[in-house]
Amino acid sequence: MSVKKRKYPFRVVMSVGLASVLAFLSGCGASEQAASTNQVTSGKAEEKKQGITVPVKDYTFDTAGNMFAYAEFELSGEPMVEALGLNLDVLDPAKVDQPSVFDYTAGIESYEYSEEAMYEVVEKSGLGLHMVHAPEVKRLAQQAGKKENETLAHRFVEFADAVGYAPEEITRNMYPTFIEYSKADPHYIQPVDTGKFADGENGTYIPKYQVDFASLRWDRAKMDKTLTPAAYGATFLKQALWAGDFLGGTHKKDTDEELEAKTSTDDKDPNIRLGVSSVDGMQGMILAEQMWNKTSYIRDNLFYNPQTKKLEKATGAAYDPKKKLVYLPHAILVAENGEKEYVNAQSLEVKDARSLLKDQWLMLWPAAEYFGMTDQRAANTNTNPAFRAVYDGKPFPAAPKQNTDNLTDNDVVSNDPYSVNRDIMLQVFKNIEAMHWNEKEGIFVDEHDGQKAGKHMDMFDAGYTLEALRIFQRAVDGLPVGYASGDDAKGLDTQEGKAALAMIKKQADFILANMIDEQGLVANGWTIGEGKDKEEPTLLAQTGAIRGLTAAFLATKEEKYREAARKIYAAMDQTMWDAEAKAYKTSGDKYEYDAFTAGAVSGAFRMAIASLHNIATDKEKLPALERKTIISRYVDFYNQVIDGPALDQGMQASEFWDTGDFYKEGDKSGNTDNDNVPQIQAGHGQHGIAPVLLSVEVKKEGK
């Protein structure tokens, strides 16, 4: 694990008492060279093509698409440039495009856009059910004989102590959620409080909204109050990836210096605290609390029995889909309880009982990531000691010994994070295998109605299912996941891991044998008995195939999958990239981007940069896979499609200091870093808009 000193533009200090800790619950040195050579070095405001516009098509916030995209943005950010050799200490949001445009775009913009959007969903907007009503918070409150809001507040104080964070610095008027809705309007419903809270650095100031989230709510009347596995699963994925980053090390309490955890008891030293820093550790603890409660709620409330047509509890290791199916349905409608401050569900109603493959892989992936954090199996010697310290009983309960030994017939039902999440992970995996895997054809089908499976395979979802299965295989076999999911280690060779690998190989082989056309592109899908989809290949299908085949290569080390992914990438680049538009055509001659497409493009770039680029042993050197070319595409795409050519254009709706848009007294521009992304209060609406992704279309003049 790399150890780096983290930089914070501001250190927020709140001179308030413990009473305000309750108020947060209110519902109202080394080498400085660039990560690669011969990179683009021009600034973001330069080279803007006249006649190219990227207007917003739709302001609807799609939770699943956004959180999926930002997961890919995160992985295509700091972890990627660090793996390429960049010293992360040289990155500074105030130094735009330094040390290179690529380093800044990936290490600052892609990475920080990802983090802030997650906080918008799970701490600021109100887009879901309040943590006060979360199942484990309720259980702890009952055990302590206290009110739920008081219990949650004291949990936050406990977290602050565990990470060496001052309780009085906890953000006020947070709206922490334990399960999130599917869609919403991301415009703010009142003026954002940009008044001065405190002086910052170099003539900047800290705005009040940064320490008090009260002015950052979204309109509850415009929320689609539906629980969809893809939406709360993709949010879960974001939480798991960031919590793994934040809690993957320890730090010195007195200096905040990050340390690599040596043992699971390092934090017994009074000067060593959990988390890679006090600030990140605190955020990691909040995310961990949300994930524990999220998984508990999902396991106990959101699985569906199509025979009884009722929601029931998942059973995990004991579950046998051959006896009866119990799975996560596509849509459950929430009737809220009418509370304004601490919103809870009054009732749940299944509106769409189908099992959709997209829902299932977007639950399996994060459950596997979270499993890698919480894994306490005695046989697994690869779990990061820092994670073991978090889940050793304080601040989170440890798993019963019966659930962490090599046996399954002695398992007990438990509410600890490891056991709850394991139940979900195993049941979702078994359902993918039983409901979506067609063994005879060797494909994953899109849907199952609870009685029978469908006949169509979607290339994008099948491809990403391979990546979800890769992470699952690593997690269940005790191999590193998260940012270290490419690392080699000795695994446990479980039956579940072997089954996952078998499906990965067979689906990948099917793609190679049946899905690639004479241009080298993959078809959008396949229908059993009919063959390939006849529509023109889409960008989404290509990126899904690239992601899936690269996953197959990483999981099996079989070169044929890497070579196939390379050729698909080259064909996509040759037939779909438009140098004038600086974007890929998404379908035919259209350039229509939603969050899923943007995230998939980010993932394909990362696969190309990390695994598919030309190396000395490649028999054929493909021009599109020269790293310099891939990086150029990466920069152009983010510059044109994500940031956009004008303040009211591009997918990224807004930003603030994490990506360089600092607040300065007397500056009313709403864009202090002079890029094409406005500050949150300044763009797209009367009161501004959250820093999230919007759907756009790239347009050429006269078309």
Side-chain angles (χ1 to χ4, degrees), residues 266-463:
D266 287 2
D267 60 318
K268 303 301 181 186
D269 183 325
N271 195 39
I272 296 180
R273 300 288 82 189
L274 300 175
V276 295
S277 69
S278 60
V279 174
D280 283 352
M282 185 66 197
Q283 193 59 66
M285 287 293 173
I286 296 172
L287 294 171
E289 181 80 347
Q290 290 174 312
M291 288 190 293
W292 180 28
N293 283 273
K294 182 193 298 286
T295 51
S296 180
Y297 188 76
I298 293 169
R299 184 193 69 173
D300 293 351
N301 297 278
L302 300 186
F303 280 80
Y304 177 73
N305 184 329
Q307 299 303 315
T308 63
K309 293 183 169 35
K310 292 182 179 179
L311 296 166
E312 61 182 60
K313 189 173 182 177
T315 51
Y319 173 62
D320 185 352
K322 294 179 181 177
K323 294 181 179 178
K324 67 172 182 177
L325 293 176
V326 180
Y327 59 90
L328 292 171
H330 176 57
I332 297 175
L333 184 64
V334 174
E336 293 185 344
N337 63 350
E339 288 189 47
K340 292 185 177 180
E341 290 187 335
Y342 308 136
V343 176
N344 193 20
Q346 180 172 295
S347 64
L348 302 175
E349 179 186 0
V350 177
K351 298 297 290 185
D352 188 338
R354 293 175 300 159
S355 173
L356 299 187
L357 184 60
K358 183 178 269 82
D359 289 332
Q360 306 310 318
W361 70 255
L362 269 169
M363 272 302 299
L364 183 66
W365 185 359
E369 299 282 6
Y370 188 39
F371 188 85
M373 289 182 59
T374 61
D375 192 356
Q376 296 155 54
R377 290 174 296 174
N380 182 10
T381 60
N382 296 320
T383 303
N384 186 336
F387 294 151
R388 290 278 174 112
V390 173
Y391 294 100
D392 63 357
K394 184 180 181 181
F396 292 95
K401 296 297 183 183
Q402 301 97 309
N403 293 0
T404 59
D405 60 21
N406 291 325
L407 305 174
T408 57
D409 56 2
N410 66 338
D411 288 357
V412 296
V413 177
S414 177
N415 293 316
D416 67 276
Y418 167 79
S419 299
V420 168
N421 181 65
R422 185 194 61 165
D423 287 345
I424 292 173
M425 183 182 75
L426 291 177
Q427 192 140 336
V428 170
F429 171 72
K430 292 176 183 180
N431 283 332
I432 288 176
E433 188 176 28
M435 303 175 73
H436 293 277
W437 175 242
N438 187 306
E439 174 67 23
K440 181 180 178 181
E441 298 286 332
I443 63 173
F444 291 102
V445 296
D446 303 349
E447 64 178 74
H448 192 293
D449 66 5
Q451 304 299 323
K452 64 181 184 304
K455 294 184 177 182
H456 185 261
M457 178 197 79
D458 178 83
M459 187 64 260
F460 173 76
D461 285 320

Side-chain angles (χ1 to χ4, degrees), residues 16-241:
V16 291
L18 184 59
S20 69
V21 179
L22 288 167
F24 86 90
L25 287 170
S26 173
C28 1
S31 171
E32 296 190 6
Q33 66 183 21
S36 68
T37 58
N38 301 317
Q39 295 184 44
V40 179
T41 56
S42 59
K44 293 197 181 308
E46 299 176 14
E47 299 184 17
K48 291 297 182 184
K49 270 263 191 236
Q50 294 297 318
I52 304 293
T53 59
V54 189
V56 174
K57 286 189 65 180
D58 187 357
Y59 281 98
T60 301
F61 175 82
D62 175 59
T63 308
N66 261 259
M67 294 296 97
F68 160 78
Y70 282 125
E72 291 286 35
F73 280 23
E74 176 184 353
L75 295 170
S76 298
E78 262 193 18
M80 183 176 71
V81 292
E82 184 178 29
L84 291 173
L86 181 71
N87 175 7
L88 298 181
D89 283 348
V90 306
L91 290 173
D92 186 336
K95 297 178 180 178
V96 177
D97 294 340
Q98 298 298 321
S100 78
V101 177
F102 171 64
D103 295 319
Y104 189 89
T105 301
I108 294 292
E109 288 193 335
S110 182
Y111 194 65
E112 299 298 351
Y113 287 160
S114 164
E115 183 179 7
E116 288 308 324
M118 173 183 66
Y119 297 145
E120 287 290 325
V121 172
V122 303
E123 292 182 359
K124 301 177 182 180
S125 63
L127 185 61
L129 302 180
H130 201 291
M131 277 285 289
V132 161
H133 297 293
E136 300 307 329
V137 172
K138 285 186 174 182
R139 187 174 286 112
L140 291 173
Q142 290 170 355
Q143 292 173 354
K146 296 179 179 179
K147 293 181 179 179
E148 287 86 352
N149 65 325
E150 183 181 357
T151 297
L152 183 57
H154 281 281
R155 282 288 285 170
F156 276 56
V157 173
E158 181 182 0
F159 298 151
D161 178 66
V163 302
Y165 189 84
E168 61 269 19
E169 294 180 21
I170 296 173
T171 306
R172 303 187 70 179
N173 290 303
M174 195 183 298
Y175 195 109
T177 54
F178 68 90
I179 197 86
E180 293 77 33
Y181 294 150
S182 63
K183 289 183 172 62
D185 180 341
H187 290 94
Y188 296 122
I189 58 174
Q190 64 188 71
V192 174
D193 192 348
T194 59
K196 181 178 175 180
F197 172 76
D199 289 323
E201 299 174 353
N202 301 318
T204 65
Y205 73 88
I206 304 168
K208 291 179 181 177
Y209 79 77
Q210 193 171 305
V211 297
D212 186 336
F213 293 164
S215 65
L216 302 179
R217 300 290 186 261
W218 299 1
D219 190 342
R220 297 201 72 80
K222 295 181 180 179
M223 293 178 183
D224 183 342
K225 296 164 187 174
T226 303
L227 300 180
T228 300
Y232 59 73
T235 308
F236 183 15
L237 177 60
K238 288 295 302 127
Q239 292 168 313
L241 288 172

Side-chain angles (χ1 to χ4, degrees), residues 556-575:
T556 68
K557 303 298 188 289
E558 292 191 28
E559 185 64 28
K560 64 180 179 179
Y561 301 129
R562 175 178 177 270
E563 192 57 33
R566 279 167 48 81
K567 289 180 178 178
I568 294 168
Y569 181 93
M572 175 187 76
D573 196 73
Q574 180 178 351
T575 60

Side-chain angles (χ1 to χ4, degrees), residues 44-45 48 96-97 104 109 113 639 643-648 652 654-656 659-661 670-679:
K44 293 197 181 308
K48 291 297 182 184
V96 177
D97 294 340
Y104 189 89
E109 288 193 335
Y113 287 160
N639 198 15
D643 287 353
L647 277 170
D648 60 347
Q652 185 66 34
S654 66
E655 65 175 349
F656 58 103
T659 48
D661 227 325
N671 182 30
T672 59
D673 60 356
N674 297 311
D675 64 2
N676 291 305
V677 183
Q679 292 176 343

